[in-house]
């Protein structure tokens, strides 16, 4: 398996596993996970879309994050329980799906070392891949 295939497979698996469970939480989207608070489902959903787009657009490609308008809602330390603060659940779910589809469609990592083919699928492989991506990001901004 090529490194890029491993990345694409993991992106698809995480999409399928996470979003299927999130859909089950639609009626409980603003319920905090503990009595002491935490991040409820709607916040996690919006945060996933915001951060994935931030990484793929801003960090890796130097483009504006299409979800920049969600930064104050989904990228802060405080998680509100006020439904009026958030977009509707179905909109957040749709945008999260769209963010992942854009990531999968635009994943252009040609030339990355194929460490997975060498059997390096542990933390070392991941660290090498992150270093390569960071190098590309730094070069793009230089």
């Amino acid at each position: 398996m090529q490194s890029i295939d491993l990345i694409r497979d993991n992106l698809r698996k995480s999409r399928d596993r996470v979003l299927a469970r999130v859909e089950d939480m639609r009626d409980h989207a603003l319920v905090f996970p503990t009595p002491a608070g935490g991040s409820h489902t709607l916040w996690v959903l919006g945060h996933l879309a915001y951060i994935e787009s931030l990484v793929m657009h801003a960090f890796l490609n130097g483009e504006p994050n299409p979800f920049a308008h969600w930064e104050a809602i989904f990228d802060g330390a405080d998680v509100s329980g006020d439904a009026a603060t958030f977009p509707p659940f179905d909109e957040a779910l749709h945008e999260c799906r769209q963010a992942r589809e854009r990531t999968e469609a635009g994943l252009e990592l040609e030339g990355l070392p194929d460490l997975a083919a060498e059997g390096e699928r542990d933390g070392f492989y991941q660290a090498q891949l992150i270093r390569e991506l960071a190098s590309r990001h730094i070069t793009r901004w230089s």
Side-chain angles (χ1 to χ4, degrees), residues 20-41:
R21 285 165 181 79
V22 165
E23 285 186 35
D24 292 342
M25 295 297 295
R26 176 180 272 107
D27 295 334
H28 310 285
L30 291 171
V31 175
F32 289 99
T34 72
S39 302
H40 52 67
T41 302

Side-chain angles (χ1 to χ4, degrees), residues 3 112-121 124-126 128-129:
S3 301
L112 286 176
D114 189 25
L115 301 173
E118 300 169 19
E120 299 291 344
R121 295 183 184 170
F124 175 76
Y125 162 70
Q126 294 171 3
Q128 288 290 96
L129 187 58

Side-chain angles (χ1 to χ4, degrees), residues 42-88:
L42 184 53
W43 187 90
V44 170
L45 188 59
H47 183 72
L48 289 172
Y50 173 79
I51 294 297
E52 184 159 338
S53 290
L54 179 68
V55 169
M56 294 307 295
H57 289 275
F59 293 172
L60 295 179
N61 294 316
E63 303 167 352
N65 182 352
F67 294 104
H69 62 286
W70 279 8
E71 182 176 6
I73 303 167
F74 295 114
D75 196 35
D78 296 326
V79 178
S80 171
D82 180 9
T85 304
F86 299 97

